[in-house]
Amino acid sequence: MLRAFIFDLDGVLTDTAEYHYRAWKRVADEAGLPFTRDDNEHLRGVSRRESLLLILKGRPYPEEKIQAMMARKNNYYLEFIKEISPRDLLPGAQELLEELRANDYKTALGSASKNARDVVERLGIDSLLDAISDGYSVERQKPAPDLFLHAAAQLGLPPKACVVVEDAAAGIQAAKAGGFRSIGLGPRERVGGADMTLLNLVGVHLADLLKALHENHPG
Ligand code: BG6
Ligand code: MG
């Protein structure tokens, strides 16, 4: 039986996926590297280092330069998130978190970002999450299942009792690899591997999710 929902952050609860893109775009432009929004789709959910390696597409760069580019990207990203406030929660996110908790479901964050705690605090949703697993929690990031397994362990629940909510192909892969059910947010080309897909969380209620996942409603 389902007992918990594990949410990705960037692109699920708030639109920081756009800020990650803009920060990388600036780094890529400065280095004269081609990088488009389409390229960026493959970076969703992927760690900072792996993201840069995808942008570099095998071009040989010394480690020193890689470190400097990662640091620059993060500085640009930090500038973007400075202004984040509860108004930046994506439509439907807070309502769903509140409904889940009112129905005794546990909620956790499973984000590869090292800035996740900061963003959660700025969004004002710390009190709506029972556990946070972030870019510091595990070594192997998505598409490895480790981060979601870490979140489930913090909740004291097995993967089969948790459903992962993700906007990234790498995140859906991670959920599947860990034995979690999953809800994909976004186009099917990206998250079609999930157990159910939605364009966003607007007007989404617990009962709809349970029905699509073939679960019984607790009430
Ligand atoms: C994920 C984002 O949540 O976190 C990725 O989807 C990002 O775009 C990754 O690269 C790591 O984030 P950070 O903040 O540690 O660089
Ligand atoms: Mg995401």
Side-chain angles (χ1 to χ4, degrees):
M1 208 176 80
L2 266 187
R3 303 277 312 282
F5 285 70
I6 303 174
F7 290 85
D8 172 47
L9 175 67
D10 302 317
V12 169
L13 297 178
T14 185
D15 200 16
T16 36
E18 176 67 18
Y19 296 156
H20 282 293
Y21 163 68
R22 288 191 203 168
W24 279 129
K25 178 68 181 153
R26 209 165 147 189
V27 170
D29 286 352
E30 284 165 358
L33 294 164
F35 179 57
T36 64
R37 272 189 187 275
D38 280 347
D39 296 332
N40 185 62
E41 288 296 277
H42 302 286
L43 271 56
R44 277 180 193 263
V46 172
S47 75
R48 199 180 304 170
R49 186 182 180 85
E50 286 303 316
S51 296
L52 179 54
L53 295 181
L54 286 174
I55 294 171
L56 293 178
K57 292 195 176 115
R59 293 178 186 87
Y61 266 60
E63 181 59 27
E64 219 177 77
K65 202 150 181 202
I66 287 180
Q67 292 297 332
M69 288 167 92
M70 281 166 56
R72 251 198 342 270
K73 184 269 176 173
N74 198 50
N75 286 337
Y76 296 149
Y77 182 71
L78 290 175
E79 274 302 308
F80 285 125
I81 64 171
K82 250 192 199 160
E83 305 295 326
I84 286 185
S85 75
R87 285 193 308 271
D88 293 296
L89 275 165
L90 280 170
Q94 176 150 357
E95 292 83 345
L96 181 58
L97 283 169
E98 284 170 353
E99 187 184 10
L100 293 175
R101 294 171 62 89
N103 284 276
D104 293 325
Y105 283 86
K106 296 267 183 215
T107 56
L109 193 81
S111 166
S113 176
K114 292 187 167 159
N115 297 296
R117 275 181 190 274
D118 191 4
V119 172
V120 160
E121 276 166 29
R122 288 174 198 273
L123 290 171
I125 52 168
D126 351 15
S127 62
L128 293 177
L129 296 166
D130 296 295
I132 292 182
S133 296
D134 65 11
Y136 294 104
S137 302
V138 296
E139 283 285 316
R140 291 194 314 161
Q141 292 296 343
K142 304 166 191 177
D146 305 28
L147 188 71
F148 295 137
L149 293 172
H150 186 275
Q154 287 204 79
L155 297 175
L157 292 169
K160 63 178 186 327
C162 310
V163 55
V164 163
V165 187
E166 259 290 350
D167 70 315
I172 300 296
Q173 273 184 55
K176 289 184 136 178
F180 296 87
R181 272 176 287 173
S182 57
I183 299 170
L185 297 188
R188 279 177 187 276
E189 307 85 72
R190 197 169 78 210
V191 290
D195 294 305
M196 77 179 281
T197 58
L198 293 166
L199 284 181
N200 52 52
L201 294 177
V202 178
V204 171
H205 289 287
L206 173 61
D208 311 325
L209 302 179
L210 295 180
K211 196 169 162 202
L213 294 167
H214 309 293
E215 279 281 326
N216 293 322
H217 197 277

